[in-house]
Amino acid sequence: MDNYPLLNIFWTMLELFLWILWFFLLFKIITDIFRSHDLSGWGKAGWLILVILIPLIGVLVYVIARGKSMGERDVAQARRNEDAFKAYIRDAAAETPGQAGGATAAGGGGGAARGGGSHVEDLAKLADLKASGAISEEEYQKAKDKLLV
């Protein structure tokens, strides 16, 4: 330990951090190359060869040339994921009231075994979904009507 000063430890940690950061950036760019719909197959192959054979220059050129569209693709992917999640929540909320009379996974048994609290719990869940914006007023009313019938 005497022959490895403290400043060298910090320098080594910085190099390790930058190395890991470099790999994250490299993998992010490679995935962006493959998911880019505006590039042809030859364009993707060219960028991939440039990024793999001359990594430092290839990555910097890619970020400079296509950085803006790379960000736009990230935002579009995040929106698609959010929309898919909201659609899943809406489907789950629409199915829950229809299952209230029979056996449900949430209650662990039949509707009769849970008594009158079943409808109250389902209405509370629907109200929470509506308050969070996961379902619209119309969807809330439809699900509530199914539950109360």
PDB file of all heavy atoms in Angstrom, residues 78-92 129 134:
ATOM      1  N   ALA A  78     -40.489   5.794 -24.659  1.00  0.00           N
ATOM      2  CA  ALA A  78     -41.044   5.994 -23.320  1.00  0.00           C
ATOM      3  C   ALA A  78     -42.548   6.243 -23.394  1.00  0.00           C
ATOM      4  O   ALA A  78     -43.307   5.720 -22.563  1.00  0.00           O
ATOM      5  CB  ALA A  78     -40.345   7.158 -22.637  1.00  0.00           C
ATOM      6  N   ARG A  79     -42.994   7.007 -24.387  1.00  0.00           N
ATOM      7  CA  ARG A  79     -44.440   7.241 -24.554  1.00  0.00           C
ATOM      8  C   ARG A  79     -45.171   5.943 -24.882  1.00  0.00           C
ATOM      9  O   ARG A  79     -46.256   5.689 -24.367  1.00  0.00           O
ATOM     10  CB  ARG A  79     -44.681   8.261 -25.661  1.00  0.00           C
ATOM     11  CG  ARG A  79     -44.504   9.662 -25.211  1.00  0.00           C
ATOM     12  CD  ARG A  79     -45.110  10.647 -26.203  1.00  0.00           C
ATOM     13  NE  ARG A  79     -44.705  11.989 -25.826  1.00  0.00           N
ATOM     14  CZ  ARG A  79     -43.947  12.780 -26.557  1.00  0.00           C
ATOM     15  NH1 ARG A  79     -43.541  12.392 -27.757  1.00  0.00           N
ATOM     16  NH2 ARG A  79     -43.611  13.969 -26.140  1.00  0.00           N
ATOM     17  N   ARG A  80     -44.591   5.135 -25.766  1.00  0.00           N
ATOM     18  CA  ARG A  80     -45.233   3.855 -26.100  1.00  0.00           C
ATOM     19  C   ARG A  80     -45.322   2.957 -24.871  1.00  0.00           C
ATOM     20  O   ARG A  80     -46.350   2.305 -24.652  1.00  0.00           O
ATOM     21  CB  ARG A  80     -44.467   3.154 -27.219  1.00  0.00           C
ATOM     22  CG  ARG A  80     -44.697   3.767 -28.585  1.00  0.00           C
ATOM     23  CD  ARG A  80     -44.168   2.889 -29.707  1.00  0.00           C
ATOM     24  NE  ARG A  80     -42.728   2.667 -29.630  1.00  0.00           N
ATOM     25  CZ  ARG A  80     -41.803   3.416 -30.206  1.00  0.00           C
ATOM     26  NH1 ARG A  80     -42.167   4.463 -30.920  1.00  0.00           N
ATOM     27  NH2 ARG A  80     -40.527   3.119 -30.091  1.00  0.00           N
ATOM     28  N   ASN A  81     -44.283   2.928 -24.074  1.00  0.00           N
ATOM     29  CA  ASN A  81     -44.312   2.115 -22.855  1.00  0.00           C
ATOM     30  C   ASN A  81     -45.365   2.622 -21.879  1.00  0.00           C
ATOM     31  O   ASN A  81     -46.086   1.828 -21.273  1.00  0.00           O
ATOM     32  CB  ASN A  81     -42.938   2.119 -22.178  1.00  0.00           C
ATOM     33  CG  ASN A  81     -41.910   1.330 -22.944  1.00  0.00           C
ATOM     34  OD1 ASN A  81     -42.231   0.552 -23.835  1.00  0.00           O
ATOM     35  ND2 ASN A  81     -40.647   1.547 -22.618  1.00  0.00           N
ATOM     36  N   GLU A  82     -45.469   3.944 -21.741  1.00  0.00           N
ATOM     37  CA  GLU A  82     -46.458   4.516 -20.834  1.00  0.00           C
ATOM     38  C   GLU A  82     -47.872   4.239 -21.326  1.00  0.00           C
ATOM     39  O   GLU A  82     -48.758   3.893 -20.536  1.00  0.00           O
ATOM     40  CB  GLU A  82     -46.228   6.016 -20.694  1.00  0.00           C
ATOM     41  CG  GLU A  82     -47.136   6.670 -19.691  1.00  0.00           C
ATOM     42  CD  GLU A  82     -46.865   8.154 -19.526  1.00  0.00           C
ATOM     43  OE1 GLU A  82     -45.862   8.642 -20.082  1.00  0.00           O
ATOM     44  OE2 GLU A  82     -47.659   8.811 -18.855  1.00  0.00           O
ATOM     45  N   ASP A  83     -48.101   4.377 -22.629  1.00  0.00           N
ATOM     46  CA  ASP A  83     -49.428   4.095 -23.187  1.00  0.00           C
ATOM     47  C   ASP A  83     -49.797   2.627 -23.012  1.00  0.00           C
ATOM     48  O   ASP A  83     -50.946   2.309 -22.694  1.00  0.00           O
ATOM     49  CB  ASP A  83     -49.477   4.474 -24.664  1.00  0.00           C
ATOM     50  CG  ASP A  83     -49.422   5.977 -24.876  1.00  0.00           C
ATOM     51  OD1 ASP A  83     -49.675   6.726 -23.904  1.00  0.00           O
ATOM     52  OD2 ASP A  83     -49.108   6.396 -26.014  1.00  0.00           O
ATOM     53  N   ALA A  84     -48.838   1.744 -23.213  1.00  0.00           N
ATOM     54  CA  ALA A  84     -49.104   0.314 -23.025  1.00  0.00           C
ATOM     55  C   ALA A  84     -49.434   0.016 -21.567  1.00  0.00           C
ATOM     56  O   ALA A  84     -50.335  -0.779 -21.272  1.00  0.00           O
ATOM     57  CB  ALA A  84     -47.903  -0.506 -23.478  1.00  0.00           C
ATOM     58  N   PHE A  85     -48.743   0.669 -20.649  1.00  0.00           N
ATOM     59  CA  PHE A  85     -49.017   0.462 -19.225  1.00  0.00           C
ATOM     60  C   PHE A  85     -50.410   0.958 -18.869  1.00  0.00           C
ATOM     61  O   PHE A  85     -51.158   0.284 -18.161  1.00  0.00           O
ATOM     62  CB  PHE A  85     -47.957   1.167 -18.378  1.00  0.00           C
ATOM     63  CG  PHE A  85     -48.189   1.038 -16.904  1.00  0.00           C
ATOM     64  CD1 PHE A  85     -47.988  -0.170 -16.268  1.00  0.00           C
ATOM     65  CD2 PHE A  85     -48.609   2.122 -16.160  1.00  0.00           C
ATOM     66  CE1 PHE A  85     -48.204  -0.294 -14.919  1.00  0.00           C
ATOM     67  CE2 PHE A  85     -48.833   2.001 -14.806  1.00  0.00           C
ATOM     68  CZ  PHE A  85     -48.624   0.789 -14.173  1.00  0.00           C
ATOM     69  N   LYS A  86     -50.776   2.146 -19.378  1.00  0.00           N
ATOM     70  CA  LYS A  86     -52.115   2.674 -19.100  1.00  0.00           C
ATOM     71  C   LYS A  86     -53.196   1.785 -19.696  1.00  0.00           C
ATOM     72  O   LYS A  86     -54.242   1.570 -19.081  1.00  0.00           O
ATOM     73  CB  LYS A  86     -52.240   4.096 -19.633  1.00  0.00           C
ATOM     74  CG  LYS A  86     -51.515   5.110 -18.776  1.00  0.00           C
ATOM     75  CD  LYS A  86     -51.720   6.510 -19.300  1.00  0.00           C
ATOM     76  CE  LYS A  86     -51.029   7.520 -18.412  1.00  0.00           C
ATOM     77  NZ  LYS A  86     -51.211   8.899 -18.892  1.00  0.00           N
ATOM     78  N   ALA A  87     -52.953   1.253 -20.891  1.00  0.00           N
ATOM     79  CA  ALA A  87     -53.927   0.345 -21.500  1.00  0.00           C
ATOM     80  C   ALA A  87     -54.069  -0.926 -20.669  1.00  0.00           C
ATOM     81  O   ALA A  87     -55.183  -1.433 -20.491  1.00  0.00           O
ATOM     82  CB  ALA A  87     -53.505   0.001 -22.925  1.00  0.00           C
ATOM     83  N   TYR A  88     -52.961  -1.409 -20.145  1.00  0.00           N
ATOM     84  CA  TYR A  88     -53.011  -2.597 -19.287  1.00  0.00           C
ATOM     85  C   TYR A  88     -53.820  -2.306 -18.026  1.00  0.00           C
ATOM     86  O   TYR A  88     -54.641  -3.130 -17.609  1.00  0.00           O
ATOM     87  CB  TYR A  88     -51.595  -3.035 -18.916  1.00  0.00           C
ATOM     88  CG  TYR A  88     -51.566  -4.133 -17.890  1.00  0.00           C
ATOM     89  CD1 TYR A  88     -51.868  -5.440 -18.246  1.00  0.00           C
ATOM     90  CD2 TYR A  88     -51.255  -3.867 -16.565  1.00  0.00           C
ATOM     91  CE1 TYR A  88     -51.864  -6.456 -17.309  1.00  0.00           C
ATOM     92  CE2 TYR A  88     -51.253  -4.866 -15.621  1.00  0.00           C
ATOM     93  CZ  TYR A  88     -51.556  -6.159 -15.992  1.00  0.00           C
ATOM     94  OH  TYR A  88     -51.558  -7.151 -15.050  1.00  0.00           O
ATOM     95  N   ILE A  89     -53.615  -1.143 -17.426  1.00  0.00           N
ATOM     96  CA  ILE A  89     -54.370  -0.771 -16.223  1.00  0.00           C
ATOM     97  C   ILE A  89     -55.853  -0.669 -16.539  1.00  0.00           C
ATOM     98  O   ILE A  89     -56.694  -1.148 -15.783  1.00  0.00           O
ATOM     99  CB  ILE A  89     -53.846   0.561 -15.645  1.00  0.00           C
ATOM    100  CG1 ILE A  89     -52.425   0.415 -15.133  1.00  0.00           C
ATOM    101  CG2 ILE A  89     -54.747   1.088 -14.545  1.00  0.00           C
ATOM    102  CD1 ILE A  89     -52.281  -0.488 -13.943  1.00  0.00           C
ATOM    103  N   ARG A  90     -56.172  -0.069 -17.692  1.00  0.00           N
ATOM    104  CA  ARG A  90     -57.583   0.057 -18.071  1.00  0.00           C
ATOM    105  C   ARG A  90     -58.217  -1.319 -18.280  1.00  0.00           C
ATOM    106  O   ARG A  90     -59.344  -1.565 -17.864  1.00  0.00           O
ATOM    107  CB  ARG A  90     -57.715   0.895 -19.335  1.00  0.00           C
ATOM    108  CG  ARG A  90     -57.488   2.355 -19.095  1.00  0.00           C
ATOM    109  CD  ARG A  90     -57.765   3.176 -20.341  1.00  0.00           C
ATOM    110  NE  ARG A  90     -57.401   4.557 -20.076  1.00  0.00           N
ATOM    111  CZ  ARG A  90     -56.483   5.230 -20.739  1.00  0.00           C
ATOM    112  NH1 ARG A  90     -55.841   4.659 -21.741  1.00  0.00           N
ATOM    113  NH2 ARG A  90     -56.211   6.474 -20.433  1.00  0.00           N
ATOM    114  N   ASP A  91     -57.496  -2.227 -18.930  1.00  0.00           N
ATOM    115  CA  ASP A  91     -58.018  -3.578 -19.137  1.00  0.00           C
ATOM    116  C   ASP A  91     -58.198  -4.301 -17.812  1.00  0.00           C
ATOM    117  O   ASP A  91     -59.196  -4.984 -17.599  1.00  0.00           O
ATOM    118  CB  ASP A  91     -57.082  -4.380 -20.044  1.00  0.00           C
ATOM    119  CG  ASP A  91     -57.097  -3.888 -21.483  1.00  0.00           C
ATOM    120  OD1 ASP A  91     -58.044  -3.153 -21.842  1.00  0.00           O
ATOM    121  OD2 ASP A  91     -56.162  -4.231 -22.230  1.00  0.00           O
ATOM    122  N   ALA A  92     -57.237  -4.136 -16.922  1.00  0.00           N
ATOM    123  CA  ALA A  92     -57.328  -4.789 -15.617  1.00  0.00           C
ATOM    124  C   ALA A  92     -58.491  -4.222 -14.811  1.00  0.00           C
ATOM    125  O   ALA A  92     -59.205  -4.951 -14.130  1.00  0.00           O
ATOM    126  CB  ALA A  92     -56.020  -4.639 -14.853  1.00  0.00           C
ATOM    127  N   LEU A 129     -57.974   4.571  -9.339  1.00  0.00           N
ATOM    128  CA  LEU A 129     -57.536   4.601 -10.734  1.00  0.00           C
ATOM    129  C   LEU A 129     -58.007   5.865 -11.439  1.00  0.00           C
ATOM    130  O   LEU A 129     -57.267   6.465 -12.213  1.00  0.00           O
ATOM    131  CB  LEU A 129     -58.047   3.360 -11.476  1.00  0.00           C
ATOM    132  CG  LEU A 129     -57.362   2.044 -11.133  1.00  0.00           C
ATOM    133  CD1 LEU A 129     -58.113   0.885 -11.765  1.00  0.00           C
ATOM    134  CD2 LEU A 129     -55.926   2.063 -11.604  1.00  0.00           C
ATOM    135  N   ALA A 134     -55.478   7.084 -14.553  1.00  0.00           N
ATOM    136  CA  ALA A 134     -55.264   5.869 -15.334  1.00  0.00           C
ATOM    137  C   ALA A 134     -56.492   5.515 -16.164  1.00  0.00           C
ATOM    138  O   ALA A 134     -56.359   4.908 -17.220  1.00  0.00           O
ATOM    139  CB  ALA A 134     -54.897   4.701 -14.419  1.00  0.00           C
TER     140      ALA A 134
END
